[in-house]
Amino acid sequence: MAKITINEKEFEVEDGKNLVDAAEENGIEIPHYCYHPGLSVAGQCRMCVVEQEGNSKLQIACNMQCKDGLKVSTESDRVKDAVKWNLEFHLINHPIDCPICDQAGECGLQEYFMEHGKYKSQMREQKVLKEKVVPLGDKITLDKERCILCSRCVRFTQEVSKTADLAIFNRGDRSVIGTVNNEPMKGNYQVNTVDICPVGALTSTDFRFEQRVWFLEEAESICRGCSTGCNVNIHHKAGKHIYRLKPRYNADVNAYWMCDEGRLTYKSANFDKRLNAARLGGVKLPLREAVQMLAAELKTLVAMEQQDEIAVLLFPTETNEDLETVFKTLKGDLEINAFYSIDVQALIDEDEVKDELMMRNDPYPNSRGFVKGMKAHKIETKNLQSLKKDLESGKIGHLLIIAPEDPQVTDLLAPLSQATSPDTFVSLLTPQTAAADLFAQALSIPCISHYEKKGCMINFQGREQQLSGGFRMIKESLSLDECFRLLLEEYKKPTEIDRRKGAQQ
Amino acid sequence: MMRETQHHRNMRPMAVDLSPAPGEKRILLEHLGVQGIRRISVYESKGGYNALKKILEKKLSPDQVIEAVKGSGIRGRGGAGFPTGLKWNFVPKDQSKPHYLLCNADESEPGTFKDRVILEHLPHMMIEGMIIGAYAVQAKKSYVYIRGEYTYATKIVEEAIKEAYRAGYLGKNILGSGFDHDMFVHRGAGAYICGEETGLISSLEGKKGWPKLKPPFPAVEGYLKCPTVVNNVETLAAVPWIINNGDKAYSGIGTEKSTGTKLWSVSGDVVRQGVFEVECGASFQTLLEDCCRGMKDGRKLKAVIPGGSSAPILTAAEAMDMTLDYESIASKGSMLGSGGMIILDETRDLVQVLKNLSEFYHDESCGQCTPCREGTGWLMKILHSFTEKQARPIDLELLKTTSNNMIGRTICVLADSIAMPVLSYIEKFPEEFDRYLSESSGQSSLSEKLQAKELL
């Protein structure tokens, strides 16, 4: 540990820690653009200047390591003036086109101007004009005029994604970001450059012009794209529509980054893909009635001692809490034994990093939690081939499918729908229309999507991570936990059969 | 960028006075007039490579060489004036990583052309100095990073290196000493910033010529992250003389803190322009009157830029009062720099001169640090508004504030190289700016006056 003094206050910080980070840890913000804790130090933007005791020149905090006795000021008049002027330098050639800029509302220039600037610009000369809409492949759109040349994106492609596809061309105030030979950017990690761009220069082509960021709310969650379990923030509007996912820092899992594929997993959760009402054979019915019907169907089979004809199909995409309720209800209360799924253990056994960076082979977010839940309830699942066989042989009277909005699951369901005979009653708990459409005659109950879920999932490291969604995009939808509690409630209500049985006794 | 005309001019050797001008003290340029001195045989006949032989045959240790260079008091001739021996001493003594010596021959400061004389006429003196320097810091490889436009000089140096290899001064086991050394020529592509030592290193590494953040300093982590010494051509060329004649002989020349001689490349409004070797501490008049034969057409001296275009300007009175050493010029508020002296007579319009310079620095800023990237352009544009007679009174203050906020705020000193001149021109020749202001239509409006108050 090192004792350092910032603004005449003493702090104890990790020896050798970067001063910008050490200050931030202690609630002191040192403005910076080019410095990023996940990248090498460039020292270019000069925004992080501080006054160091014993040094007549202003020093940049990003290139200072904390050691005992370090004394700096971040709020002396000299520093304030320097920061203000540095900001002016950043802005004299900036187009200041905030009204049409996607970054507005989360822009480093706007933020620091309000905090450290608030001057009237003296720049009356012609600004340097540059290209404004430059697609760098199909994921990123570049505005060269807005770029402050902090080089974060360039360093990212050199140091993190190792694609090295970005560079700064030309020199002086004619410098521009670009790709080598104007080729499209490569790889599955491009959009991270948008996250780390402190201004509106690099924008996500997916998010561009979709929504003003000040209308967005955030909820913490875990990406559903693979077993890595990247920590994400969901950016949604009033819980009705998700506009984007952004990586949330977790030093042990994904650091500051996530892959582009994972980033787009929010799409299947939005309204146009969603089952927005319960239905039976294509006819809408109230949600409560649908659950009652499912309870009744199950109960009839149980009452006739035919619960062996009930088959349950589910995937490692649910939270540990939901799985617990599902297993407890189906296995414990209803004594159902026929569970089907993909071979999750095999996925775990063969799980490794797919692209030398972060993405893993196992495409499900909670395989470990799934196996753990199965073991706890002494459940063994059979695979999809046996389900198909069992369906074809007519052994299954009721097939209960719990299907997430994941398109790869929908692909797995398609062959099963063909194998299902009209004699099998299919009930489907799913957030998406695509799955419900596969089983046209089924009883479909709308569920919430992955990013609305609350609960925990276990990633490849065995780390239990929390999803805090909590919003409800479709009014008429249930979480699995809610659905099964309701189901059990309905199931336990005495019915005509019970009464008759009671009378006989 | 290599301009066509410039390119053709550089295909030819630069014309030099082979015999010393009055007032000169030639030690580096002693044999400049000798026919064929750029050939190794002629150079050897004048005692060339004796310094290297002395070191290797007498088995002087690297530390002894460093001590000798330290004792001579020689300071870096590229511009910063850092003591050379001290620089060599910073290189770690262990050999866990290879060491490198780089010769900075990227002479591109406007007004500076003194290294060109050495490169074109006395290449072996520089090469000998480099081998000695490499031995001192135990570098097995050295590079001459030569300015792209110096096409003729490049050929000369390349030929000289070949000769040195053939003579056994380069390669394996030099003169049977067990010391191996290889030397390469690397041509720049015409960027001023690649003359900055860390910009040079980046460029040599095959990267964009961006100066590097310090610390770490090149002596510890330079070329390919290995310990590296970067020395100017003139500095290295002086090393053989120091070894041959002893450090005391060198420090006996010049003043106490500015030892030896300095090459001055004088351009501008003098009768005879050119490169002159003058003892440090000599009067400015020696250079102006004796070497350059006074002002052209009998006009009056107005101003002097003493050490390359990035040095703050001096008034005639200040120049007349100075001596040609680091301290005296610094005491006048400027710097000896590279020794590229520009003499300006009474007919020169200093606002135009400054505008011209600002265009150069705007063009050459690498664009890495914000204050320089944006500031150089802004200064240039404001100076244009002066020469276009559209300046506002507050523009003079704006020039000063902009400059003050560029100085010392960047990775390298390119920003300072224009900001300091701007301040000095305004301070020392305010009437030149006032003349443009009074002719300007750019009357500041009330709102601009208010803005100015708020800003300044």
Side-chain angles (χ1 to χ4, degrees), chain A residues 41-46 49 57-58 60 63 78 81-82 85-86 88-90 92-93 118-128 148-149 151 168-175, chain B residues 190-191 208 210 213-215 362-371 373-375 377-378 381-382 385 390-392 394-395 398 401-402 405-406 408-411 451-452 454-455:
Chain A
V41 174
Q44 292 169 212
C45 75
R46 318 304 286 184
V49 282
K57 258 174 89 174
L58 292 178
I60 47 170
N63 201 32
R78 211 173 141 211
D81 197 51
W85 264 88
N86 247 324
E88 171 78 323
F89 282 133
H90 275 94
I92 56 170
N93 282 309
K118 286 190 178 164
Y119 54 81
K120 280 200 174 122
S121 176
Q122 290 294 296
M123 177 72 177
R124 61 154 194 174
E125 268 73 35
Q126 172 68 50
K127 295 191 180 204
V128 179
I148 56 166
L149 297 156
S151 83
I168 294 179
F169 297 88
N170 214 327
R171 68 185 182 204
D173 56 12
R174 289 87 62 215
S175 301
Chain B
K208 191 170 178 164
W210 273 13
L213 206 52
K214 284 158 275 190
H362 166 249
D363 192 36
E364 294 293 348
S365 166
C366 80
Q368 188 175 199
C369 308
T370 308
R373 178 181 71 235
E374 306 295 340
W378 201 6
K381 286 170 186 171
I382 301 172
S385 76
Q390 285 170 357
R392 307 164 295 177
I394 63 158
D395 283 335
L398 197 53
T401 336
T402 307
N405 280 291
M406 291 165 70
R409 302 278 169 84
T410 46
I411 290 175
Q451 278 184 19
E454 211 163 298
L455 183 80

Side-chain angles (χ1 to χ4, degrees), chain A residues 77-88:
Chain A
D77 288 344
R78 211 173 141 211
V79 171
K80 279 186 188 164
D81 197 51
V83 171
K84 195 165 158 177
W85 264 88
N86 247 324
L87 197 60
E88 171 78 323

